[in-house]
Amino acid sequence: MNKELLDENVEFIVYKSKNIKDLKGKDTKTSKNELEMYKRVLKRQTRNTKLLCLGIFLCFLAAACFFGLAEFFLNNQLESIWLVLSLAILTGAIGIIVYANITNSKEGKIKYQYKNEKYFYVAGIFTGFGVFALFGGFVIFGASSAIFISLVLLGLGAAFDIYHDKTGDKKNNLTLVREFVIAIIVCIIFGFLGYFVNINASNFANENYQIEELG
């Protein structure tokens, strides 16, 4: 392989798996230099994908701290710590996202051509429970704690969904329409369950209060 080809922005295509052990010269007809380049690009791209997912999750965590822990810090007159903690997490998240986007490999990129749907379903599970908490499913822990739990779970769902998008070819993954329909169904089901639990918990609390008054 000549130097000019090494300097170009090459697009590697992985048909079955992103594991380095599955990329062999006799199967892909690549030279040893191309294989080494592939390893470097894969390592950088995988790292940056994970950093991007971490950054997105930290954004949700910052929101969870700001909205979900506000009552605790304000009641204990720790407003400064509350604000500094939320801003520090958000700043770190933005820094990680920017770093992940500006340090992409200049040698090429990996274009996957295989299904990678499992992360989408994992994302759906976290998102579902996040919506469940948002609609009051974890009301037993208190409103503020429920908001904190909800945003953390939604953050995990968003992170796994981005990982799903970044590590699989969209043509072979679920179509955008199917993903949207599945996401809507999951949100409706878990939202209804959360609302149902919230309403019944409130009714149960009111009944106990009335019994105590009569007693």
Side-chain angles (χ1 to χ4, degrees):
M1 179 179 292
N2 56 41
K3 184 177 184 296
E4 287 74 22
L5 182 57
L6 282 172
D7 290 341
E8 290 179 358
N9 189 13
V10 181
E11 185 177 74
F12 295 99
I13 299 176
V14 184
Y15 289 94
K16 293 182 179 179
S17 173
K18 65 180 179 179
N19 294 326
I20 294 177
K21 65 181 180 180
D22 294 324
L23 185 72
K24 298 179 180 179
K26 63 180 181 180
D27 297 327
T28 60
K29 298 181 181 180
T30 59
S31 68
K32 182 178 179 180
N33 288 337
E34 286 176 313
L35 182 58
E36 291 302 317
M37 185 194 297
Y38 168 81
K39 292 178 181 179
R40 292 195 300 271
V41 174
L42 177 62
K43 183 177 181 180
R44 177 68 64 86
Q45 187 166 313
T46 301
R47 183 205 68 181
N48 285 353
T49 297
K50 292 179 179 179
L51 286 176
L52 177 62
C53 295
L54 175 62
I56 295 299
F57 171 72
L58 289 177
C59 285
F60 278 85
L61 182 60
C65 290
F66 185 80
F67 295 105
L69 299 181
E71 182 178 355
F72 170 79
F73 282 105
L74 293 176
N75 289 341
N76 290 280
Q77 297 182 345
L78 299 172
E79 296 89 343
S80 299
I81 297 178
W82 168 57
L83 291 174
V84 170
L85 177 63
S86 301
L87 289 175
I89 296 175
L90 181 60
T91 301
I94 295 174
I96 290 174
I97 293 173
V98 171
Y99 178 79
N101 281 283
I102 65 176
T103 57
N104 291 324
S105 175
K106 296 180 180 179
E107 292 182 296
K109 65 179 179 179
I110 307 297
K111 181 181 179 182
Y112 303 105
Q113 288 191 347
Y114 63 93
K115 294 184 178 181
N116 194 21
E117 298 177 1
K118 61 182 179 180
Y119 293 105
F120 173 74
Y121 295 116
V122 172
I125 293 173
F126 281 115
T127 300
F129 280 105
V131 173
F132 176 79
L134 189 63
F135 279 81
F138 293 137
V139 68
I140 188 174
F141 298 112
S144 296
S145 296
I147 292 175
F148 181 85
I149 295 171
S150 173
L151 289 172
V152 169
L153 291 173
L154 290 173
L156 288 171
F160 276 104
D161 186 51
I162 290 173
Y163 193 80
H164 152 74
D165 289 336
K166 293 288 187 179
T167 57
D169 183 29
K170 293 183 179 180
K171 291 181 180 179
N172 289 321
N173 273 322
L174 293 168
T175 64
L176 182 61
V177 175
R178 286 180 63 192
E179 285 189 13
F180 179 77
V181 171
I182 292 174
I184 291 296
I185 292 174
V186 168
C187 289
I188 290 175
I189 292 175
F190 279 86
F192 174 78
L193 290 175
Y195 179 76
F196 178 79
V197 170
N198 187 19
I199 292 298
N200 280 275
S202 299
N203 291 337
F204 181 75
N206 290 333
E207 290 176 359
N208 285 343
Y209 179 74
Q210 291 175 359
I211 292 174
E212 289 178 359
E213 281 192 330
L214 293 174

